[in-house]
Amino acid sequence: MKFMVMVHADAGTEAGEMPTEAEFAAMGAFNEELVKAGVMRAGEGLHPSARGARVVFDGRGTRVVDGPFTESKELIAGFWLWECASLDEAVAWARRCPKPTRGAQSVLEIRRVYEAEDFGEALTPELREQEERLRGQIEGGREPR
């Protein structure tokens, strides 16, 4: 099972505060444990929302809203993609994580990633083949843009 583990933003991450050397080292050691255990598939930090945009879809079409976005507690500052046997295992790993932000409270949100079999008959054999082909292209690596 794959899980997206999201680091919730706080005022510091939204202000663009960079981790200290000690914080980088602690998180690097944790990431190394995840990699050695075969859990970590990806992980990145995200720039503040002031450098981003949202594309909103509604009955009138689409519109773009430039950041920053006001509710920092609803924003994501970074993420991991983990492969674990269960939600309980993902939670156990998350509990070992060094505090990911400097605010009074740090939050990690863990959500299971859908897999092909979760979609039932809506994912026809043709659509499944397309999905597998695209994943192969992604995993095979393409030239950076």
Side-chain angles (χ1 to χ4, degrees):
M1 291 178 220
K2 289 183 186 163
F3 293 89
M4 175 70 70
V5 181
M6 295 164 279
V7 178
H8 281 228
D10 65 12
T13 61
E14 278 298 290
E17 291 177 4
M18 290 288 120
T20 65
E21 183 178 341
E23 290 167 336
F24 266 123
M27 195 59 74
F30 178 65
N31 286 341
E32 194 162 339
E33 285 183 60
L34 291 167
V35 170
K36 285 180 179 177
V39 170
M40 187 171 165
R41 297 290 176 250
E44 305 291 339
L46 302 174
H47 281 264
S49 69
R51 296 182 184 164
R54 288 182 176 162
V55 178
V56 179
F57 299 83
D58 59 26
R60 298 172 298 212
T62 61
R63 61 189 162 89
V64 177
V65 179
D66 293 325
F69 308 116
T70 56
E71 291 295 324
S72 65
K73 67 180 182 218
E74 296 177 7
L75 299 174
I76 303 301
F79 69 92
W80 287 277
L81 185 60
W82 293 349
E83 190 157 333
C84 299
S86 65
L87 176 59
D88 288 341
E89 181 185 0
V91 168
W93 277 106
R95 292 176 64 100
R96 296 173 58 182
C97 181
K99 190 170 182 277
T101 62
R102 290 193 195 136
Q105 178 179 342
S106 289
V107 176
L108 295 181
E109 180 177 337
I110 304 169
R111 306 264 304 272
R112 186 165 173 204
V113 175
Y114 277 111
E115 297 187 33
E117 50 274 358
D118 295 325
F119 294 106
E121 293 179 14
L123 189 62
T124 65
E126 296 80 18
L127 293 171
R128 184 180 298 262
E129 185 279 325
Q130 177 188 37
E131 178 75 14
E132 290 170 1
R133 179 176 43 79
L134 292 172
R135 286 189 185 277
Q137 289 175 358
I138 291 168
E139 292 169 5
R142 287 186 277 172
E143 293 298 314
R145 295 173 63 148

